[in-house]
Amino acid sequence: SLWGIAPRAMKELYEIIDREKETYDINVTCNMLELYNDQLVDLLPDRDKKGNLINAPTKMDIKLDARGIVQVQGATQRGPCHSFDQLYQWNEY
């Protein structure tokens, strides 16, 4: 199949983790956001079995933390992600 950039990057990420597991302790968490009409959209909110949102969406803000790393406050974060399959499943929206 022809995968897009996100699945290919996820696959490569876990190949690197597997290669470097003896050298580094690596933990993966996941956010999936979309910028649509100047609004951030959370693509990983909790949903019931019918696909309906369980909680109302929260307002998200983009901020820099003390280290200068971009953080999105209010976004759903999944993790830890232990495998490519788990990460890929969370990102099937």
Side-chain angles (χ1 to χ4, degrees), residues 6-36:
R8 289 185 298 178
M10 289 183 251
K11 186 92 171 140
E12 185 169 341
L13 172 67
Y14 280 95
E15 289 170 0
I16 293 168
I17 290 170
D18 189 51
R19 221 177 27 241
E20 302 294 333
K21 65 186 173 193
E22 299 299 321
T23 307
Y24 300 102
D25 181 27
I26 301 170
N27 295 302
V28 177
T29 58
C30 173
N31 301 81
M32 183 64 92
L33 306 171
E34 174 181 65
L35 183 59
Y36 181 76

Side-chain angles (χ1 to χ4, degrees), residues 56-75:
T58 59
K59 180 169 175 12
M60 292 180 281
D61 291 315
I62 301 172
K63 305 282 183 186
L64 287 178
D65 70 9
R67 299 174 293 169
I69 297 172
V70 175
Q71 299 288 321
V72 179
Q73 298 171 342

